[in-house]
Structure formats: structure tokens, C-alpha cells
Amino acid sequence: MLVPTTWDKPDNARRVAEAGAGVILKPGRCSPERLRAAIEQVLGDPSYGEAARTYAGKLAAAGGPARAAELIEVLVGERVEAARSAA
């Protein structure tokens, strides 16, 4: 269940839903009844769990925060080098 509110949450929720790993409920329309229906939908359809496991494996294989930091450092280094070369 995704109830996105602010910042990047709506975009992240859309990605999870598009991947088939969750259901989006709009915050202003999230009632106990709608939440229950969404939970029943997800629990009743194994494809949600399968999609979540698939993407969990992809995220784990991607290297986590340490790999993200490495990639950011490479990107920043490339930008700094490009700026120096242009000057």
C-alpha cells in the first residue's frame, strides 16, 4: 500500500505501482474501507509479491548505498574534470 504525500513520494509510488509491486491510494481518499480493499487486492494476487521479490533482488544486486555513493563520486569527478577542461 502506497499513500504518497509530499516530495518524491508520488513519483516513487508510481514506479512501485507500475512495477506491479503495490497499489496507490491517494491520501485524501484513503479511508479504512479503501485501505482494506487495497490490502485484500494485494494479498489476494500473488503477482504483487512476485514483483516485489523481483525488484528486491535487483536492488540488492545493485550494491545498495555504498554503490550509489561510488556512482555519485564518479559522476561528480567527471563533472569536475569536464569543468576544468572547459576552463
Side-chain angles (χ1 to χ4, degrees):
M1 287 352 82
L2 305 147
V3 186
T5 53
T6 58
W7 301 98
D8 61 346
K9 292 174 189 164
D11 189 48
N12 291 334
R14 180 185 50 79
R15 289 179 178 158
V16 171
E18 286 177 358
V23 173
I24 297 174
L25 296 171
K26 294 182 180 185
R29 298 184 49 107
C30 185
S31 66
E33 296 79 18
R34 287 191 170 112
L35 183 58
R36 176 186 297 271
I39 290 169
E40 289 173 351
Q41 177 182 345
V42 169
L43 292 178
D45 184 344
S47 69
Y48 288 100
E50 291 165 10
R53 282 187 292 282
T54 296
Y55 282 92
K58 289 180 180 185
L59 287 172
R67 180 66 178 140
E70 290 172 14
L71 293 172
I72 291 168
E73 289 171 355
V74 168
L75 179 61
V76 169
E78 289 173 358
R79 300 265 173 131
V80 168
E81 187 60 37
R84 285 183 185 151
S85 297

